[in-house]
């Protein structure tokens, strides 16, 4: 079995999770579940980023110790993962000893080899971004862009990592590894960024200014710059498991350049480690055209949507609506459109009809196919086409299109049922009509089984529930489950299943 190591970004422990964080976890979970279905052994890591200025400031604001504060926020993120049915194998916190140990060992090794040096820094510093700024970062009118918050003049001694030394190596690496970043066009943006000379990276913060961090092993008067600490989580979590390099680091587009596309591969290379095999970069959930974020106030609380509509409706929406890599506007109206038309009406209807009619006309036992005519042949052909397109789409992270194909197949199955009208056949005593009735019941049940097998990585518990009411236990090999057959013959179905009830209260 092939092993597949995938990670999400680790979320800042400076506020509660919102829809953007939930999306990244669900997306990575969908990829993980899909790869497991395809036979890989998946190791899926997520976690929280718990050091740095922002966290220290948030804790102070609430009048609590940083450790107590991050314990609470990290627990919220862990609870979110559980509630979203996220199948992560591990959850790393950057305040854990296992992480700090690796960060300190790598820093020491880089220091010993002269990759880190001390120098005096004079210039501008943005507290909000925890970043040193240069003249070129100013706006044409001389002011600083709003994202930097308050910018102060400072002079201080710090430690620097020799980023510049590896600029040519990185350019060459990107040119020879065309698939390093998905979607591909983002790799060009990185190369564009690398046309300007890189500055060495300041990786220390004096303790007087920031206490909440990992002390530098070679100078305890400083703590480690939070990005240098955080990026190493992907490695520290598996350092003793032989899983490095990761197959994918899944991240949002805001943290590609420079942290993941520049610092990260260079940090690894300078430490004698290979870069991750690829970065998967997703877009943003927007609200009113702007990135949904804590600092902008009102965000969508994923848990309230899950409480109201169920976890699979939430997962389905996120994956169906977003084309991986692009941005998407979140609105409750659009959520309700997908919920009602695709889940409640289209899929919900097929489930209800299959269970009702099998109960009414076949005493709850799925019959064998008796005759196969054009309508059955057409539906089977559509299935083969749907599956043969959907699986490669999922391999290319086009989960939204794969779901669309799956829904179209469900629509076609409902149309098939209209055409066969089993409720009419059930009233006839003619042998031919009885044969067609058995055929149509078997066909709709098989189509339903296949459709939900195809969606299993997105809606795992819905697929399980539907299999259960169909009296069916899937086999171990997912690809075999996608073959049209007579797997349900003789199965005893439940009388009903309420899957996607109409919302009663107002959403919000
Ligand atoms: N702590 C850093 C990442 C360190 S990784 C070594 C960080 N944290 S974050 O909490 O701000 O963001 C975590 C992830 O959530 C990022 O990949 C980010 O892109 C993603 N999202 C945050 N808001 C988002 C949206 N509105 N939409 C989609 N994802 C976005 O950055």
């Amino acid at each position: 079995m092939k092993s597949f190591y995938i990670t999400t970004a680790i979320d800042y422990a400076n506020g509660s999770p919102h829809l953007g964080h939930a999306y990244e976890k669900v997306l990575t979970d969908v990829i993980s579940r899909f790869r497991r279905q395809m036979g890989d052994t998946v190791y899926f890591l997520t976690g929280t980023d718990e050091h740095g200025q922002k966290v220290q400031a948030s804790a102070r604001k609430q009048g609590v110790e940083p450790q107590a504060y991050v314990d609470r926020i990290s627990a919220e993120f862990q609870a979110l993962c559980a509630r979203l049915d996220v199948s992560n194998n591990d959850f790393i916190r950057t305040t854990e000893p296992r992480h700090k140990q690796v960060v300190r060992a790598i820093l020491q090794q880089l220091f010993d080899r002269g990759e880190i040096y001390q120098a005096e820094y004079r210039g501008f510093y943005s507290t909000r971004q925890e970043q040193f700024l240069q003249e070129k970062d100013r706006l044409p009118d001389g002011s600083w862009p709003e994202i930097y918050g308050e910018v102060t003049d400072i002079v201080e001694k710090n430690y620097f990592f020799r980023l510049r030394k590896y600029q040519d190596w990185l350019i060459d690496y990107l040119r020879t590894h065309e698939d390093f970043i998905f979607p591909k066009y983002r790799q060009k943006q990185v190369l564009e960024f690398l046309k300007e000379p890189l500055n060495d990276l300041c990786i220390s913060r004096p303790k007087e200014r920031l206490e909440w961090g990992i002390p530098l092993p070679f100078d305890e008067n400083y703590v480690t710059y939070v990005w240098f600490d955080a990026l190493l989580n992907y490695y520290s979590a598996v350092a003793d498991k032989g899983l490095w390099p990761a197959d994918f680091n899944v991240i949002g587009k805001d943290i590609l350049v420079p942290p993941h596309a520049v610092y990260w591969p260079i940090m690894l290379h300078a430490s004698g480690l290979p870069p991750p095999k690829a970065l998967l970069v997703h877009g943003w959930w927007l609200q009113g055209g702007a990135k949904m974020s804590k600092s902008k106030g009102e965000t969508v609380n994923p848990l309230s949507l899950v409480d109201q509509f169920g976890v699979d409706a939430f997962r389905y929406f996120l994956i169906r609506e977003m084309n991986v890599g692009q941005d998407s506007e979140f609105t409750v109206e659009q959520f309700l459109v997908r919920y009602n038309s695709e889940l409640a009406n289209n899929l919900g209807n097929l489930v209800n009809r299959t269970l009702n009619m099998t109960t009414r006309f076949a005493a709850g036992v799925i019959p064998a196919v008796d005759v196969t005519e054009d309508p059955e042949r057409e539906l089977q052909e559509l299935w083969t086409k749907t599956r043969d397109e959907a699986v490669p789409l999922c391999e290319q992270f086009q989960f939204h299109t794969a779901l669309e194909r799956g829904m179209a197949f469900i629509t076609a199955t409902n149309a098939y049922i209209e055409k066969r009208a089993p409720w009419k056949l059930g009233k006839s005593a003619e042998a031919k009509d009885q044969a067609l009735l058995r055929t149509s019941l078997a066909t709709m049940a098989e189509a339903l089984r296949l459709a939900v097998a195809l969606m299993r990585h997105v809606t795992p518990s819905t697929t399980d529930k539907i299999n259960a009411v169909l009296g069916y236990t899937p086999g171990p090999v997912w690809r075999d489950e996608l073959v049209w057959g007579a797997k349900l013959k003789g199965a005893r179905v439940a009388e009903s299943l309420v899957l996607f009830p109409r919302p009663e209260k107002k959403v919000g």
Side-chain angles (χ1 to χ4, degrees), residues 10-12 18 21 24 49 234 252 254 282 284-285 292:
I10 50 173
D11 304 307
Y12 283 128
H18 61 65
H21 304 122
E24 187 170 291
D49 184 356
Y234 306 131
D254 49 317
H282 63 75
W284 288 340
W285 283 96
M292 194 183 293

Side-chain angles (χ1 to χ4, degrees), residues 8-15 18-25 48-50 54 77 94 226-227 229-234 250-256 259-260 264 282-287 290-294 322 327-328:
T8 67
I10 50 173
D11 304 307
Y12 283 128
N14 71 334
H18 61 65
L19 188 98
H21 304 122
Y23 171 68
E24 187 170 291
K25 297 194 195 306
T48 36
D49 184 356
E50 306 188 359
K54 292 186 208 191
F77 277 94
T94 55
V226 68
W227 270 108
D229 157 357
L231 285 163
L232 283 167
N233 89 87
Y234 306 131
V250 178
I251 56 169
K253 65 180 186 179
D254 49 317
I255 56 172
L256 177 66
H260 282 84
W264 183 221
H282 63 75
W284 288 340
W285 283 96
L286 309 174
Q287 256 181 324
K291 177 181 180 241
M292 194 183 293
S293 82
K294 287 173 289 225
M322 183 77 101
D327 295 343
S328 205

Side-chain angles (χ1 to χ4, degrees), residues 55-229:
V55 173
Q56 180 174 293
S58 300
R60 289 229 171 111
K61 223 160 114 189
Q62 300 212 348
V64 291
E65 284 302 311
Q67 188 63 53
Y69 180 75
V70 296
D71 285 350
R72 178 165 69 70
I73 302 282
S74 182
E76 274 189 51
F77 277 94
Q78 290 174 57
L80 175 75
C81 289
R83 188 76 179 87
L84 293 178
D85 263 351
V86 166
S87 62
N88 55 302
N89 299 83
D90 193 2
F91 189 102
I92 190 156
R93 303 182 53 189
T94 55
T95 51
E96 285 176 273
R98 61 167 171 161
H99 173 71
K100 294 189 204 171
Q101 225 173 358
V102 170
V103 171
R104 284 168 64 94
I106 287 187
L107 282 165
Q108 185 67 54
Q109 179 222 1
L110 290 171
F111 183 72
D112 293 343
R113 298 210 337 265
E115 303 286 353
I116 289 173
Y117 62 93
Q118 194 181 38
E120 182 147 282
Y121 176 86
R122 292 170 180 277
F124 309 105
Y125 184 73
S126 151
T127 314
R128 177 166 325 152
Q129 295 299 328
E130 294 174 56
Q131 191 183 325
F132 293 95
L133 304 177
Q134 289 150 27
E135 283 300 336
K136 71 171 164 61
D137 297 318
R138 287 189 197 264
L139 293 172
D141 71 359
S143 66
W144 299 102
E146 204 196 306
I147 50 155
Y148 295 126
E150 194 196 346
V151 176
T152 46
D153 259 325
I154 56 167
V155 179
E156 68 186 23
K157 273 201 168 157
N158 266 308
Y159 288 90
F160 292 83
F161 170 55
R162 296 191 190 281
L163 214 55
R164 184 149 194 180
K165 177 177 157 190
Y166 293 102
Q167 180 158 6
D168 289 339
W169 168 80
L170 182 59
I171 292 171
D172 188 59
Y173 187 85
L174 292 171
R175 292 213 173 112
T176 52
H177 294 76
E178 280 187 9
D179 294 325
F180 184 56
I181 303 175
F182 178 94
K184 263 195 172 147
Y185 68 88
R186 296 221 175 261
Q187 190 133 337
K188 296 203 185 78
Q189 294 174 349
V190 180
L191 283 166
E192 202 55 38
F193 177 84
L194 288 169
K195 282 187 176 155
E196 291 287 319
L198 288 174
N199 290 309
D200 286 346
L201 178 66
C202 178
I203 53 111
S204 61
R205 297 294 182 265
K207 270 201 182 146
E208 311 93 73
R209 202 142 57 68
L210 177 68
E211 279 167 46
W212 188 237
I214 303 178
L216 292 182
F218 43 82
D219 190 340
E220 300 277 329
N221 297 314
Y222 292 85
V223 298
T224 311
Y225 171 46
V226 68
W227 270 108
F228 198 95
D229 157 357

Side-chain angles (χ1 to χ4, degrees), residues 179-468:
D179 294 325
F180 184 56
I181 303 175
F182 178 94
K184 263 195 172 147
Y185 68 88
R186 296 221 175 261
Q187 190 133 337
K188 296 203 185 78
Q189 294 174 349
V190 180
L191 283 166
E192 202 55 38
F193 177 84
L194 288 169
K195 282 187 176 155
E196 291 287 319
L198 288 174
N199 290 309
D200 286 346
L201 178 66
C202 178
I203 53 111
S204 61
R205 297 294 182 265
K207 270 201 182 146
E208 311 93 73
R209 202 142 57 68
L210 177 68
E211 279 167 46
W212 188 237
I214 303 178
L216 292 182
F218 43 82
D219 190 340
E220 300 277 329
N221 297 314
Y222 292 85
V223 298
T224 311
Y225 171 46
V226 68
W227 270 108
F228 198 95
D229 157 357
L231 285 163
L232 283 167
N233 89 87
Y234 306 131
Y235 174 70
S236 69
V238 298
D240 57 359
K241 293 194 169 65
L243 283 169
W244 193 259
D247 290 78
F248 282 98
N249 289 149
V250 178
I251 56 169
K253 65 180 186 179
D254 49 317
I255 56 172
L256 177 66
V257 186
H260 282 84
V262 180
Y263 305 161
W264 183 221
I266 293 182
M267 281 164 64
L268 288 162
H269 183 65
S271 309
L273 292 162
K277 288 184 209 154
L279 304 174
L280 175 62
V281 186
H282 63 75
W284 288 340
W285 283 96
L286 309 174
Q287 256 181 324
K291 177 181 180 241
M292 194 183 293
S293 82
K294 287 173 289 225
S295 50
K296 295 219 179 65
E298 272 300 286
T299 55
V300 176
N301 178 354
L303 294 178
S304 73
L305 285 169
V306 171
D307 286 344
Q308 204 166 348
F309 297 95
V311 61
D312 280 358
F314 179 72
R315 292 170 59 104
Y316 178 84
F317 174 77
L318 294 181
I319 299 302
R320 173 71 184 85
E321 192 69 15
M322 183 77 101
N323 179 343
V324 176
Q326 295 177 11
D327 295 343
S328 205
E329 178 77 23
F330 178 86
T331 64
V332 171
E333 290 71 31
Q334 182 62 6
F335 184 94
L336 286 175
V337 165
R338 295 242 183 254
Y339 181 85
N340 287 323
S341 69
E342 298 179 13
L343 295 176
N345 290 345
N346 207 20
L347 175 59
N349 244 342
L350 177 57
V351 173
N352 289 339
R353 287 167 145 181
T354 305
L355 299 183
N356 288 345
M357 291 194 257
T358 309
T359 303
R360 256 171 76 197
F361 301 122
V365 177
I366 296 173
V369 169
D370 232 319
V371 282
T372 299
E373 294 181 350
D374 277 352
E376 286 75 30
R377 272 192 285 275
E378 279 162 21
L379 193 64
Q380 288 187 28
E381 275 161 25
L382 178 65
W383 167 253
T384 306
K385 189 164 169 284
T386 301
R387 178 201 57 203
D388 290 351
E389 285 175 11
V391 173
L393 282 167
C394 292
E395 285 176 310
Q396 298 299 312
F397 311 116
Q398 303 297 297
F399 297 108
H400 67 298
T401 316
L403 282 179
E404 188 184 21
R405 301 289 151 83
M407 271 296 145
F409 174 71
I410 294 176
T411 306
T413 306
N414 278 317
Y416 163 84
I417 297 172
E418 299 288 330
K419 186 179 234 163
R420 280 298 188 211
W423 46 89
K424 286 190 193 148
L425 298 169
K427 288 188 189 134
S428 154
E430 303 249 337
K432 162 89 181 148
D433 288 341
Q434 287 298 315
L436 274 180
L437 174 64
R438 285 191 291 277
T439 293
S440 62
L441 294 175
T443 301
M444 70 177 87
E446 181 66 358
L448 172 60
R449 181 190 72 75
L450 291 163
V452 297
L454 194 63
M455 290 167 57
R456 193 171 84 178
H457 44 288
V458 183
T459 57
S461 63
T462 299
T463 298
D464 285 352
K465 278 184 206 159
I466 292 174
N467 279 327

